[in-house]
Amino acid sequence: MDSIFNILGSKDFDEPPEISSIKKYVFDEFGVKPTVQVREADIVVSVPNAALITTLRLRGPEIKRRCQLDKKLVFRIG
């Protein structure tokens, strides 16, 4: 039986490139750090206010193009 140290020592804790690219885009454009969650069928982006959500929804196609995303984007207030 492996110890927790051995199991966690070989684990890769880097975030997926989709998360990094979305966080960088939102921070560079709006100065806000979003919370990003990658799920099987979509990517959930949470930001603190509705005005920013609306702007991000309008820029959805640009975000998908610049961040090279294939999954559907879902925006939430969080």
Side-chain angles (χ1 to χ4, degrees):
M1 179 170 234
D2 291 332
S3 70
I4 291 180
F5 178 77
N6 290 339
I7 294 170
L8 293 178
S10 62
K11 180 91 171 125
D12 181 19
F13 289 106
D14 293 336
E15 59 187 23
E18 298 98 345
I19 291 176
S20 300
S21 62
I22 293 171
K23 284 183 176 181
K24 181 176 178 356
Y25 176 85
V26 174
F27 188 77
D28 289 348
E29 294 291 321
F30 305 104
V32 174
K33 286 188 176 184
T35 303
V36 181
Q37 178 185 15
V38 177
R39 299 191 301 194
E40 192 171 319
D42 55 14
I43 298 172
V44 179
V45 181
S46 299
V47 293
N49 61 51
L52 183 53
I53 290 291
T54 303
T55 303
L56 290 174
R57 276 196 184 112
L58 292 173
R59 292 189 179 189
E62 177 187 349
I63 294 170
K64 288 178 83 169
R65 187 182 73 252
R66 284 182 56 185
C67 297
Q68 300 174 349
L69 304 175
D70 296 330
K71 296 182 179 182
K72 177 183 171 186
L73 285 173
V74 177
F75 298 102
R76 292 195 178 145
I77 300 171

